[in-house]
Amino acid sequence: MSDAFILEPVADRAALRHPCLRLLFDAWLAATLPGQNLPCIDDLLPPAQAVAADHLWWLERVPGGGPSDFIGRGFGRQTVANYGIDPTGRHINDYARQPVFGRILRVLTTVTAAQQPHRFAADQSVMSNGALHDVEALALPVAGPDGAFWGVLGATRAREL
């Protein structure tokens, strides 16, 4: 990779390097019912867990909150290990001083504004252990049971360089 940080829309699974992320993108497409723009989190979560398991994460946008006000709702074991924290049930803004959360908030606000899938890639890491990683993530917008935007579900794959 030539850039330290890439954040770009994803319209085709071929844009994703990691097979797990391709399968997650497929699950998102399959869960999007005809006539809807976004799948419901309740419909997407089971197939997402089946293909991304420990690498999965999902965050709910706080109703009435600002564009970057999210609460962590679930984090796979590998995601928690990668970042060294488990923000389940916590406001993401509580972690704003940690370097990685600047990027995470940028991903969340971009996906919220565009309401389309985005790929994040980096050849550097600000993960808690300080090791250099090759990182690729997929961030997907999801709706709540009422069909309105609910939050962002995604998965991160990281390997040490």
PDB file of all heavy atoms in Angstrom, residues 53-83:
ATOM      1  N   ALA A  53     -17.424 -13.129  12.717  1.00  0.00           N
ATOM      2  CA  ALA A  53     -17.239 -13.573  14.102  1.00  0.00           C
ATOM      3  C   ALA A  53     -16.415 -12.625  14.956  1.00  0.00           C
ATOM      4  O   ALA A  53     -16.865 -11.539  15.297  1.00  0.00           O
ATOM      5  CB  ALA A  53     -16.669 -14.979  14.115  1.00  0.00           C
ATOM      6  N   ASP A  54     -15.208 -13.034  15.304  1.00  0.00           N
ATOM      7  CA  ASP A  54     -14.367 -12.297  16.249  1.00  0.00           C
ATOM      8  C   ASP A  54     -13.860 -10.958  15.723  1.00  0.00           C
ATOM      9  O   ASP A  54     -13.321 -10.160  16.483  1.00  0.00           O
ATOM     10  CB  ASP A  54     -13.161 -13.147  16.655  1.00  0.00           C
ATOM     11  CG  ASP A  54     -13.557 -14.324  17.522  1.00  0.00           C
ATOM     12  OD1 ASP A  54     -14.642 -14.279  18.122  1.00  0.00           O
ATOM     13  OD2 ASP A  54     -12.776 -15.286  17.581  1.00  0.00           O
ATOM     14  N   HIS A  55     -14.024 -10.696  14.443  1.00  0.00           N
ATOM     15  CA  HIS A  55     -13.525  -9.459  13.836  1.00  0.00           C
ATOM     16  C   HIS A  55     -14.622  -8.413  13.681  1.00  0.00           C
ATOM     17  O   HIS A  55     -14.372  -7.317  13.194  1.00  0.00           O
ATOM     18  CB  HIS A  55     -12.904  -9.777  12.470  1.00  0.00           C
ATOM     19  CG  HIS A  55     -11.841 -10.814  12.565  1.00  0.00           C
ATOM     20  ND1 HIS A  55     -10.547 -10.524  12.937  1.00  0.00           N
ATOM     21  CD2 HIS A  55     -11.882 -12.156  12.393  1.00  0.00           C
ATOM     22  CE1 HIS A  55      -9.839 -11.644  12.970  1.00  0.00           C
ATOM     23  NE2 HIS A  55     -10.621 -12.642  12.647  1.00  0.00           N
ATOM     24  N   LEU A  56     -15.814  -8.742  14.115  1.00  0.00           N
ATOM     25  CA  LEU A  56     -16.988  -7.900  13.907  1.00  0.00           C
ATOM     26  C   LEU A  56     -17.101  -6.809  14.974  1.00  0.00           C
ATOM     27  O   LEU A  56     -16.640  -6.975  16.095  1.00  0.00           O
ATOM     28  CB  LEU A  56     -18.235  -8.791  13.966  1.00  0.00           C
ATOM     29  CG  LEU A  56     -19.506  -8.276  13.332  1.00  0.00           C
ATOM     30  CD1 LEU A  56     -19.323  -8.086  11.836  1.00  0.00           C
ATOM     31  CD2 LEU A  56     -20.639  -9.261  13.590  1.00  0.00           C
ATOM     32  N   TRP A  57     -17.723  -5.703  14.603  1.00  0.00           N
ATOM     33  CA  TRP A  57     -18.052  -4.623  15.531  1.00  0.00           C
ATOM     34  C   TRP A  57     -19.302  -3.911  15.017  1.00  0.00           C
ATOM     35  O   TRP A  57     -19.556  -3.885  13.826  1.00  0.00           O
ATOM     36  CB  TRP A  57     -16.899  -3.635  15.695  1.00  0.00           C
ATOM     37  CG  TRP A  57     -16.213  -3.238  14.411  1.00  0.00           C
ATOM     38  CD1 TRP A  57     -15.079  -3.803  13.888  1.00  0.00           C
ATOM     39  CD2 TRP A  57     -16.602  -2.208  13.506  1.00  0.00           C
ATOM     40  NE1 TRP A  57     -14.756  -3.182  12.696  1.00  0.00           N
ATOM     41  CE2 TRP A  57     -15.674  -2.205  12.448  1.00  0.00           C
ATOM     42  CE3 TRP A  57     -17.643  -1.295  13.480  1.00  0.00           C
ATOM     43  CZ2 TRP A  57     -15.746  -1.327  11.373  1.00  0.00           C
ATOM     44  CZ3 TRP A  57     -17.732  -0.418  12.407  1.00  0.00           C
ATOM     45  CH2 TRP A  57     -16.783  -0.438  11.379  1.00  0.00           C
ATOM     46  N   TRP A  58     -20.112  -3.392  15.954  1.00  0.00           N
ATOM     47  CA  TRP A  58     -21.267  -2.611  15.557  1.00  0.00           C
ATOM     48  C   TRP A  58     -21.536  -1.548  16.599  1.00  0.00           C
ATOM     49  O   TRP A  58     -21.357  -1.745  17.780  1.00  0.00           O
ATOM     50  CB  TRP A  58     -22.479  -3.474  15.245  1.00  0.00           C
ATOM     51  CG  TRP A  58     -23.034  -4.362  16.297  1.00  0.00           C
ATOM     52  CD1 TRP A  58     -24.152  -4.155  17.046  1.00  0.00           C
ATOM     53  CD2 TRP A  58     -22.534  -5.644  16.725  1.00  0.00           C
ATOM     54  NE1 TRP A  58     -24.371  -5.209  17.903  1.00  0.00           N
ATOM     55  CE2 TRP A  58     -23.386  -6.137  17.716  1.00  0.00           C
ATOM     56  CE3 TRP A  58     -21.425  -6.420  16.360  1.00  0.00           C
ATOM     57  CZ2 TRP A  58     -23.184  -7.356  18.358  1.00  0.00           C
ATOM     58  CZ3 TRP A  58     -21.228  -7.635  16.994  1.00  0.00           C
ATOM     59  CH2 TRP A  58     -22.096  -8.088  17.960  1.00  0.00           C
ATOM     60  N   LEU A  59     -21.921  -0.364  16.079  1.00  0.00           N
ATOM     61  CA  LEU A  59     -22.123   0.811  16.918  1.00  0.00           C
ATOM     62  C   LEU A  59     -23.423   1.492  16.529  1.00  0.00           C
ATOM     63  O   LEU A  59     -23.716   1.649  15.340  1.00  0.00           O
ATOM     64  CB  LEU A  59     -20.972   1.802  16.729  1.00  0.00           C
ATOM     65  CG  LEU A  59     -19.590   1.248  17.065  1.00  0.00           C
ATOM     66  CD1 LEU A  59     -18.832   0.950  15.800  1.00  0.00           C
ATOM     67  CD2 LEU A  59     -18.845   2.211  17.918  1.00  0.00           C
ATOM     68  N   GLU A  60     -24.169   1.901  17.531  1.00  0.00           N
ATOM     69  CA  GLU A  60     -25.442   2.578  17.308  1.00  0.00           C
ATOM     70  C   GLU A  60     -25.242   4.088  17.418  1.00  0.00           C
ATOM     71  O   GLU A  60     -24.619   4.584  18.364  1.00  0.00           O
ATOM     72  CB  GLU A  60     -26.454   2.130  18.360  1.00  0.00           C
ATOM     73  CG  GLU A  60     -27.793   2.808  18.239  1.00  0.00           C
ATOM     74  CD  GLU A  60     -28.766   2.389  19.326  1.00  0.00           C
ATOM     75  OE1 GLU A  60     -28.367   1.665  20.278  1.00  0.00           O
ATOM     76  OE2 GLU A  60     -29.939   2.798  19.249  1.00  0.00           O
ATOM     77  N   ARG A  61     -25.789   4.803  16.458  1.00  0.00           N
ATOM     78  CA  ARG A  61     -25.761   6.266  16.553  1.00  0.00           C
ATOM     79  C   ARG A  61     -26.767   6.677  17.616  1.00  0.00           C
ATOM     80  O   ARG A  61     -27.896   6.176  17.662  1.00  0.00           O
ATOM     81  CB  ARG A  61     -26.126   6.901  15.214  1.00  0.00           C
ATOM     82  CG  ARG A  61     -25.988   8.402  15.269  1.00  0.00           C
ATOM     83  CD  ARG A  61     -25.941   8.969  13.897  1.00  0.00           C
ATOM     84  NE  ARG A  61     -25.958  10.400  13.968  1.00  0.00           N
ATOM     85  CZ  ARG A  61     -26.524  11.167  13.071  1.00  0.00           C
ATOM     86  NH1 ARG A  61     -27.092  10.639  12.015  1.00  0.00           N
ATOM     87  NH2 ARG A  61     -26.511  12.465  13.212  1.00  0.00           N
ATOM     88  N   VAL A  62     -26.358   7.566  18.491  1.00  0.00           N
ATOM     89  CA  VAL A  62     -27.223   8.011  19.588  1.00  0.00           C
ATOM     90  C   VAL A  62     -28.375   8.825  19.002  1.00  0.00           C
ATOM     91  O   VAL A  62     -28.138   9.818  18.305  1.00  0.00           O
ATOM     92  CB  VAL A  62     -26.427   8.850  20.612  1.00  0.00           C
ATOM     93  CG1 VAL A  62     -27.341   9.409  21.680  1.00  0.00           C
ATOM     94  CG2 VAL A  62     -25.302   8.025  21.218  1.00  0.00           C
ATOM     95  N   PRO A  63     -29.624   8.381  19.250  1.00  0.00           N
ATOM     96  CA  PRO A  63     -30.764   9.143  18.734  1.00  0.00           C
ATOM     97  C   PRO A  63     -30.704  10.589  19.230  1.00  0.00           C
ATOM     98  O   PRO A  63     -30.527  10.838  20.417  1.00  0.00           O
ATOM     99  CB  PRO A  63     -31.982   8.422  19.319  1.00  0.00           C
ATOM    100  CG  PRO A  63     -31.480   7.036  19.623  1.00  0.00           C
ATOM    101  CD  PRO A  63     -30.037   7.209  20.010  1.00  0.00           C
ATOM    102  N   GLY A  64     -30.823  11.507  18.309  1.00  0.00           N
ATOM    103  CA  GLY A  64     -30.781  12.925  18.647  1.00  0.00           C
ATOM    104  C   GLY A  64     -29.384  13.449  18.921  1.00  0.00           C
ATOM    105  O   GLY A  64     -29.194  14.624  19.186  1.00  0.00           O
ATOM    106  N   GLY A  65     -28.383  12.581  18.863  1.00  0.00           N
ATOM    107  CA  GLY A  65     -27.001  12.990  19.109  1.00  0.00           C
ATOM    108  C   GLY A  65     -26.383  13.617  17.871  1.00  0.00           C
ATOM    109  O   GLY A  65     -26.987  13.671  16.803  1.00  0.00           O
ATOM    110  N   GLY A  66     -25.170  14.063  18.007  1.00  0.00           N
ATOM    111  CA  GLY A  66     -24.441  14.646  16.895  1.00  0.00           C
ATOM    112  C   GLY A  66     -23.965  13.576  15.923  1.00  0.00           C
ATOM    113  O   GLY A  66     -24.132  12.375  16.166  1.00  0.00           O
ATOM    114  N   PRO A  67     -23.344  13.997  14.818  1.00  0.00           N
ATOM    115  CA  PRO A  67     -22.922  13.047  13.783  1.00  0.00           C
ATOM    116  C   PRO A  67     -21.864  12.047  14.242  1.00  0.00           C
ATOM    117  O   PRO A  67     -21.690  11.007  13.636  1.00  0.00           O
ATOM    118  CB  PRO A  67     -22.393  13.943  12.665  1.00  0.00           C
ATOM    119  CG  PRO A  67     -22.089  15.242  13.321  1.00  0.00           C
ATOM    120  CD  PRO A  67     -23.028  15.366  14.483  1.00  0.00           C
ATOM    121  N   SER A  68     -21.166  12.354  15.309  1.00  0.00           N
ATOM    122  CA  SER A  68     -20.138  11.424  15.783  1.00  0.00           C
ATOM    123  C   SER A  68     -20.454  10.851  17.162  1.00  0.00           C
ATOM    124  O   SER A  68     -19.571  10.388  17.861  1.00  0.00           O
ATOM    125  CB  SER A  68     -18.772  12.117  15.811  1.00  0.00           C
ATOM    126  OG  SER A  68     -18.782  13.175  16.745  1.00  0.00           O
ATOM    127  N   ASP A  69     -21.725  10.877  17.535  1.00  0.00           N
ATOM    128  CA  ASP A  69     -22.132  10.371  18.843  1.00  0.00           C
ATOM    129  C   ASP A  69     -22.669   8.941  18.691  1.00  0.00           C
ATOM    130  O   ASP A  69     -23.804   8.736  18.259  1.00  0.00           O
ATOM    131  CB  ASP A  69     -23.189  11.292  19.455  1.00  0.00           C
ATOM    132  CG  ASP A  69     -23.351  11.083  20.950  1.00  0.00           C
ATOM    133  OD1 ASP A  69     -22.628  10.240  21.526  1.00  0.00           O
ATOM    134  OD2 ASP A  69     -24.204  11.769  21.541  1.00  0.00           O
ATOM    135  N   PHE A  70     -21.828   7.973  19.006  1.00  0.00           N
ATOM    136  CA  PHE A  70     -22.148   6.558  18.868  1.00  0.00           C
ATOM    137  C   PHE A  70     -21.927   5.836  20.185  1.00  0.00           C
ATOM    138  O   PHE A  70     -21.079   6.230  20.982  1.00  0.00           O
ATOM    139  CB  PHE A  70     -21.240   5.892  17.824  1.00  0.00           C
ATOM    140  CG  PHE A  70     -21.573   6.255  16.417  1.00  0.00           C
ATOM    141  CD1 PHE A  70     -21.074   7.420  15.850  1.00  0.00           C
ATOM    142  CD2 PHE A  70     -22.365   5.431  15.636  1.00  0.00           C
ATOM    143  CE1 PHE A  70     -21.374   7.756  14.543  1.00  0.00           C
ATOM    144  CE2 PHE A  70     -22.668   5.755  14.336  1.00  0.00           C
ATOM    145  CZ  PHE A  70     -22.174   6.923  13.779  1.00  0.00           C
ATOM    146  N   ILE A  71     -22.677   4.757  20.373  1.00  0.00           N
ATOM    147  CA  ILE A  71     -22.480   3.866  21.512  1.00  0.00           C
ATOM    148  C   ILE A  71     -22.062   2.509  20.963  1.00  0.00           C
ATOM    149  O   ILE A  71     -22.684   1.994  20.022  1.00  0.00           O
ATOM    150  CB  ILE A  71     -23.768   3.712  22.342  1.00  0.00           C
ATOM    151  CG1 ILE A  71     -24.121   5.044  23.009  1.00  0.00           C
ATOM    152  CG2 ILE A  71     -23.613   2.618  23.397  1.00  0.00           C
ATOM    153  CD1 ILE A  71     -25.429   5.014  23.774  1.00  0.00           C
ATOM    154  N   GLY A  72     -21.022   1.941  21.533  1.00  0.00           N
ATOM    155  CA  GLY A  72     -20.578   0.613  21.131  1.00  0.00           C
ATOM    156  C   GLY A  72     -21.594  -0.426  21.557  1.00  0.00           C
ATOM    157  O   GLY A  72     -21.975  -0.472  22.729  1.00  0.00           O
ATOM    158  N   ARG A  73     -22.042  -1.250  20.641  1.00  0.00           N
ATOM    159  CA  ARG A  73     -23.036  -2.275  20.954  1.00  0.00           C
ATOM    160  C   ARG A  73     -22.464  -3.682  20.936  1.00  0.00           C
ATOM    161  O   ARG A  73     -22.997  -4.561  21.599  1.00  0.00           O
ATOM    162  CB  ARG A  73     -24.222  -2.183  19.993  1.00  0.00           C
ATOM    163  CG  ARG A  73     -25.037  -0.929  20.183  1.00  0.00           C
ATOM    164  CD  ARG A  73     -25.634  -0.889  21.568  1.00  0.00           C
ATOM    165  NE  ARG A  73     -26.430   0.316  21.775  1.00  0.00           N
ATOM    166  CZ  ARG A  73     -26.665   0.833  22.951  1.00  0.00           C
ATOM    167  NH1 ARG A  73     -26.188   0.270  24.041  1.00  0.00           N
ATOM    168  NH2 ARG A  73     -27.393   1.912  23.056  1.00  0.00           N
ATOM    169  N   GLY A  74     -21.388  -3.911  20.192  1.00  0.00           N
ATOM    170  CA  GLY A  74     -20.791  -5.240  20.176  1.00  0.00           C
ATOM    171  C   GLY A  74     -19.436  -5.230  19.508  1.00  0.00           C
ATOM    172  O   GLY A  74     -19.233  -4.530  18.512  1.00  0.00           O
ATOM    173  N   PHE A  75     -18.521  -6.009  20.076  1.00  0.00           N
ATOM    174  CA  PHE A  75     -17.154  -6.079  19.564  1.00  0.00           C
ATOM    175  C   PHE A  75     -16.655  -7.507  19.699  1.00  0.00           C
ATOM    176  O   PHE A  75     -16.688  -8.074  20.785  1.00  0.00           O
ATOM    177  CB  PHE A  75     -16.229  -5.119  20.334  1.00  0.00           C
ATOM    178  CG  PHE A  75     -16.625  -3.686  20.162  1.00  0.00           C
ATOM    179  CD1 PHE A  75     -17.563  -3.108  20.996  1.00  0.00           C
ATOM    180  CD2 PHE A  75     -16.105  -2.931  19.134  1.00  0.00           C
ATOM    181  CE1 PHE A  75     -17.976  -1.802  20.833  1.00  0.00           C
ATOM    182  CE2 PHE A  75     -16.503  -1.618  18.951  1.00  0.00           C
ATOM    183  CZ  PHE A  75     -17.436  -1.044  19.795  1.00  0.00           C
ATOM    184  N   GLY A  76     -16.206  -8.077  18.577  1.00  0.00           N
ATOM    185  CA  GLY A  76     -15.655  -9.423  18.593  1.00  0.00           C
ATOM    186  C   GLY A  76     -14.355  -9.482  19.379  1.00  0.00           C
ATOM    187  O   GLY A  76     -13.687  -8.466  19.602  1.00  0.00           O
ATOM    188  N   ARG A  77     -14.001 -10.688  19.795  1.00  0.00           N
ATOM    189  CA  ARG A  77     -12.795 -10.865  20.623  1.00  0.00           C
ATOM    190  C   ARG A  77     -11.529 -10.344  19.942  1.00  0.00           C
ATOM    191  O   ARG A  77     -10.671  -9.753  20.602  1.00  0.00           O
ATOM    192  CB  ARG A  77     -12.620 -12.338  20.981  1.00  0.00           C
ATOM    193  CG  ARG A  77     -13.623 -12.809  22.005  1.00  0.00           C
ATOM    194  CD  ARG A  77     -13.373 -14.224  22.388  1.00  0.00           C
ATOM    195  NE  ARG A  77     -13.596 -15.051  21.188  1.00  0.00           N
ATOM    196  CZ  ARG A  77     -13.925 -16.318  21.206  1.00  0.00           C
ATOM    197  NH1 ARG A  77     -14.049 -16.952  22.341  1.00  0.00           N
ATOM    198  NH2 ARG A  77     -14.129 -16.977  20.099  1.00  0.00           N
ATOM    199  N   GLN A  78     -11.383 -10.565  18.645  1.00  0.00           N
ATOM    200  CA  GLN A  78     -10.177 -10.102  17.966  1.00  0.00           C
ATOM    201  C   GLN A  78     -10.149  -8.583  17.862  1.00  0.00           C
ATOM    202  O   GLN A  78      -9.093  -7.964  17.964  1.00  0.00           O
ATOM    203  CB  GLN A  78     -10.049 -10.735  16.583  1.00  0.00           C
ATOM    204  CG  GLN A  78      -8.699 -10.478  15.945  1.00  0.00           C
ATOM    205  CD  GLN A  78      -7.548 -11.009  16.785  1.00  0.00           C
ATOM    206  OE1 GLN A  78      -7.563 -12.161  17.210  1.00  0.00           O
ATOM    207  NE2 GLN A  78      -6.558 -10.184  17.048  1.00  0.00           N
ATOM    208  N   THR A  79     -11.310  -7.972  17.692  1.00  0.00           N
ATOM    209  CA  THR A  79     -11.374  -6.509  17.651  1.00  0.00           C
ATOM    210  C   THR A  79     -10.940  -5.932  18.994  1.00  0.00           C
ATOM    211  O   THR A  79     -10.146  -4.982  19.047  1.00  0.00           O
ATOM    212  CB  THR A  79     -12.801  -6.046  17.289  1.00  0.00           C
ATOM    213  OG1 THR A  79     -13.134  -6.575  16.007  1.00  0.00           O
ATOM    214  CG2 THR A  79     -12.903  -4.542  17.253  1.00  0.00           C
ATOM    215  N   VAL A  80     -11.428  -6.504  20.070  1.00  0.00           N
ATOM    216  CA  VAL A  80     -11.033  -6.050  21.413  1.00  0.00           C
ATOM    217  C   VAL A  80      -9.536  -6.258  21.610  1.00  0.00           C
ATOM    218  O   VAL A  80      -8.838  -5.376  22.125  1.00  0.00           O
ATOM    219  CB  VAL A  80     -11.856  -6.783  22.496  1.00  0.00           C
ATOM    220  CG1 VAL A  80     -11.311  -6.493  23.895  1.00  0.00           C
ATOM    221  CG2 VAL A  80     -13.327  -6.382  22.402  1.00  0.00           C
ATOM    222  N   ALA A  81      -9.004  -7.390  21.178  1.00  0.00           N
ATOM    223  CA  ALA A  81      -7.569  -7.654  21.320  1.00  0.00           C
ATOM    224  C   ALA A  81      -6.744  -6.680  20.485  1.00  0.00           C
ATOM    225  O   ALA A  81      -5.708  -6.180  20.943  1.00  0.00           O
ATOM    226  CB  ALA A  81      -7.260  -9.088  20.909  1.00  0.00           C
ATOM    227  N   ASN A  82      -7.189  -6.384  19.268  1.00  0.00           N
ATOM    228  CA  ASN A  82      -6.445  -5.456  18.404  1.00  0.00           C
ATOM    229  C   ASN A  82      -6.302  -4.082  19.037  1.00  0.00           C
ATOM    230  O   ASN A  82      -5.240  -3.473  18.980  1.00  0.00           O
ATOM    231  CB  ASN A  82      -7.137  -5.295  17.048  1.00  0.00           C
ATOM    232  CG  ASN A  82      -6.928  -6.458  16.120  1.00  0.00           C
ATOM    233  OD1 ASN A  82      -6.055  -7.304  16.322  1.00  0.00           O
ATOM    234  ND2 ASN A  82      -7.754  -6.535  15.093  1.00  0.00           N
ATOM    235  N   TYR A  83      -7.390  -3.577  19.606  1.00  0.00           N
ATOM    236  CA  TYR A  83      -7.392  -2.212  20.122  1.00  0.00           C
ATOM    237  C   TYR A  83      -7.136  -2.113  21.615  1.00  0.00           C
ATOM    238  O   TYR A  83      -6.931  -1.026  22.145  1.00  0.00           O
ATOM    239  CB  TYR A  83      -8.692  -1.507  19.726  1.00  0.00           C
ATOM    240  CG  TYR A  83      -8.800  -1.365  18.223  1.00  0.00           C
ATOM    241  CD1 TYR A  83      -9.627  -2.179  17.478  1.00  0.00           C
ATOM    242  CD2 TYR A  83      -8.021  -0.438  17.541  1.00  0.00           C
ATOM    243  CE1 TYR A  83      -9.700  -2.071  16.091  1.00  0.00           C
ATOM    244  CE2 TYR A  83      -8.083  -0.322  16.170  1.00  0.00           C
ATOM    245  CZ  TYR A  83      -8.927  -1.137  15.456  1.00  0.00           C
ATOM    246  OH  TYR A  83      -8.980  -1.027  14.090  1.00  0.00           O
TER     247      TYR A  83
END
